Amino acid sequence: MKVRWAARRRAWHPVLMTGFSTRQLHAGERADQGVTPRVTPIFLTSGFEIDNFDAAGDLFAGGDGYSYTRVGNPTATAVERRIADLEGGAEAILVGSGQAAVAVALLGLVQAGQHVVSAEHIYEGTRGFFLDNLAPLGIETDFVHNINDPAEWERLIRPTTRVLFAESIANPRNEILDIEAIAAVARAHGIPLVVDSTFATPYLVRPLEHGADLVVHSASKFLAGHGAVLGGVIVDNGAFDAARSGDLFPQFAAPTRTGGPSLVDRVGGRARIVYLRDVMALRFGPTPSPFNAFLINQGIETLSLRVQRQSDNALGVARWLQAQPEVESVDYSGLESHPDHALAQRYLPNGQGSVYSFTLRGGLEAARALVNTLEVFTHMTNLGDVRSLILHPGTTSHNQRSDEQLDRTGIRAGTLRLSIGIEDLPDLIADLDRGLAAVRALSI
Ligand SMILES: Cc1ncc(COP(=O)(O)O)c(C=O)c1O
């Protein structure tokens, strides 16, 4: 797992460098200080010096090593290996944001004239990507409403469908994906199931273990965990089956543009992820800053502690909210009353995550009064932070949806989305209690 790098042995003050301008560039550099940092350092450099003339040729012919940060960087590599390991995948790619992860994965799998089937209840940015970005490229998307009905997925699959897409825990109704059932549909058609597992993280569920082929994350959320940086990850199971699906995906299985051996010939089952890295991410260029990669790596080191605490707090808050007269409903799969509670117990036995919605009986005015009263919760659009956050989806993240679509999605005027943090549970409840007092005061 360790990323190793070679320390260069050069003098602090090269004797051949006498001019001021030369020395301000080279003096003090590259001395071997004889230390091995315990934490993977931030390799904040656009590129890497190549040892000697012949090593350059080897590197450009695909040999091991680093050349340029858009191609690879040791700080990012450390994150990629760690997340691939935690997800039980073969390989991962770190990119600059969750949206970049979705875009790189999808654009690598579907081409003009082809088709996507996606769960309807997904992150609004991803839905927009399907409708506003893929559609003009000649790639259509159909949306499944009842995400755990394999027959509905089947009905929408066409000969040109190249990917099924869903989220392991969906926003805002907290639906839990029956990964095994939908992966079986994908497998029967020789196409991959891509699961956005941002809300769950590999601590709560590892979709590849349940038959998914690729996992994407917004690392900006729970993986980094502290609300400071953006990042995205694509993880692949490394099991692209050329005998079964080679004809559907010539980008992996056919000879290269210059007549060279196909990716399948070169790397076997890793063809899909190597294509996403070497052709898609490399060319579109959503490279993460090594500084952000460092912070994501630091964040992951406490992932299980944070997500466990967040899930426990989330359940405590959900139980409390459910008992309040001003609250009409609480959509948290950890509650026995949630329609997907049994699925949550099966796929998320350690905890059900910390992002969910609840609806106030008093509608928009009640939502406004509550949000404006809270002090421990931060009012903002993000999730997965160590701090607790709150947002009104109807007037913010979902403001492009028609009333009919909002209704289908389960967002009403009084619906608020929570992302529960690691604060002390009594402080969170006391804050919400103050908020509900403000809601009660409205009707006085
Ligand atoms: C489920 C999900 N996927 C993807 C994204 C996009 O991630 P990013 O904001 O890092 O681009 C988000 C952002 O909120 C998300 O919630």
Side-chain angles (χ1 to χ4, degrees):
M1 270 296 288
K2 271 189 186 169
V3 178
R4 297 206 174 272
W5 56 90
R8 304 299 309 252
R9 292 172 191 280
R10 298 218 186 159
W12 280 98
H13 298 289
V15 284
L16 296 179
M17 301 181 190
T18 53
F20 187 89
S21 296
T22 309
R23 285 185 291 120
Q24 75 183 5
L25 287 169
H26 298 281
E29 271 206 311
R30 303 199 206 107
D32 175 3
Q33 296 180 49
V35 292
T36 305
R38 180 62 191 86
V39 171
T40 302
I42 308 171
F43 285 87
L44 198 56
T45 178
S46 7
F48 302 85
E49 189 172 334
I50 303 170
D51 276 349
N52 56 54
F53 188 89
D54 293 330
D58 294 345
L59 199 55
F60 276 71
D64 281 347
Y66 293 96
S67 57
Y68 187 58
T69 282
R70 180 159 45 76
V71 185
N73 177 289
T75 316
T77 303
V79 181
E80 290 170 344
R81 291 182 182 169
R82 184 168 280 177
I83 295 178
D85 183 88
L86 294 177
E87 283 287 6
E91 195 167 327
I93 306 172
L94 184 70
V95 289
S97 69
Q99 277 296 92
V102 170
V104 165
L106 268 291
L107 287 168
L109 295 169
V110 268
Q111 302 189 332
Q114 297 180 342
H115 177 244
V116 177
V117 182
S118 170
E120 180 177 350
H121 308 142
I122 52 172
Y123 170 60
E124 280 296 289
T126 305
R127 186 169 167 273
F129 173 72
F130 291 146
L131 296 174
D132 300 329
N133 299 81
L134 289 190
L137 300 179
I139 299 166
E140 287 182 25
T141 303
D142 277 310
F143 293 97
V144 172
H145 184 62
N146 186 356
I147 63 164
N148 289 327
D149 178 7
E152 196 177 334
W153 290 87
E154 277 288 353
R155 260 199 309 282
L156 294 174
I157 291 176
R158 308 175 188 171
T160 54
T161 306
R162 289 295 176 272
V163 61
L164 305 188
F165 184 91
E167 295 179 2
S168 50
I169 304 178
N171 191 23
R173 269 197 184 142
N174 229 240
E175 289 159 305
I176 306 303
L177 182 70
D178 187 346
I179 304 169
E180 282 169 23
I182 309 311
V185 176
R187 207 165 31 252
H189 290 269
I191 57 178
L193 170 65
V194 178
V195 175
D196 181 333
S197 208
T198 298
F199 283 26
T201 83
Y203 174 64
L204 295 180
V205 69
R206 292 169 292 283
L208 303 181
E209 291 177 359
H210 297 284
D213 301 279
L214 296 106
V215 172
V216 291
H217 285 282
S218 166
S220 329
K221 313 295 197 260
F222 295 95
L223 293 177
H226 296 76
V229 293
L230 299 195
V233 198
I234 306 162
V235 191
D236 189 288
N237 64 4
F240 177 71
D241 182 351
R244 174 82 176 86
S245 308
D247 292 347
L248 299 177
F249 296 95
Q251 64 269 46
F252 315 144
T256 64
R257 169 165 55 82
T258 51
S262 73
L263 276 173
V264 167
D265 289 339
R266 281 174 36 216
V267 298
R270 288 174 51 243
R272 187 171 49 206
I273 190 75
V274 170
Y275 180 82
L276 294 182
R277 181 191 294 283
D278 290 358
V279 180
M280 304 308 292
L282 183 65
R283 304 267 170 72
F284 283 111
T287 312
S289 161
F291 182 67
N292 289 5
F294 174 84
L295 289 176
I296 294 166
N297 219 8
Q298 291 279 294
I300 294 171
E301 292 179 356
T302 55
L303 181 68
S304 62
L305 304 176
R306 285 184 286 107
V307 173
Q308 188 64 61
R309 165 91 167 196
Q310 285 167 303
S311 297
D312 295 346
N313 273 353
L315 184 59
V317 168
R319 289 213 167 109
W320 182 83
L321 281 172
Q322 201 176 29
Q324 307 310 308
E326 296 81 11
V327 174
E328 188 178 324
S329 57
V330 183
D331 289 317
Y332 186 52
S333 72
L335 294 175
E336 293 74 8
S337 55
H338 191 279
D340 288 347
H341 184 64
L343 275 177
Q345 296 298 302
R346 180 168 145 213
Y347 284 106
L348 309 162
N350 292 339
Q352 293 76 46
S354 83
V355 182
Y356 59 95
S357 302
F358 70 100
T359 299
L360 292 168
R361 292 185 201 283
L364 191 64
E365 286 311 311
R368 179 179 290 121
L370 184 125
V371 166
N372 285 341
T373 307
L374 297 183
E375 289 183 9
V376 179
F377 280 80
T378 307
H379 179 214
M380 65 181 290
T381 175
N382 191 21
L383 53 95
D385 197 323
V386 281
R387 285 155 281 260
S388 292
L389 317 176
I390 190 164
L391 189 72
H392 183 256
T395 51
T396 59
S397 57
H398 289 65
N399 66 2
Q400 298 300 314
R401 296 233 180 176
S402 67
D403 287 349
E404 193 256 329
Q405 283 171 341
L406 284 178
D407 201 46
R408 274 166 71 85
T409 311
I411 295 177
R412 295 192 293 282
T415 301
L416 289 160
R417 188 188 74 191
L418 299 176
S419 173
I420 301 291
I422 62 170
E423 298 93 340
D424 293 298
L425 180 59
D427 286 337
L428 296 177
I429 290 178
D431 203 32
L432 290 166
D433 202 22
R434 273 194 301 275
L436 290 184
V439 171
R440 281 193 296 279
L442 285 176
S443 52
I444 290 169

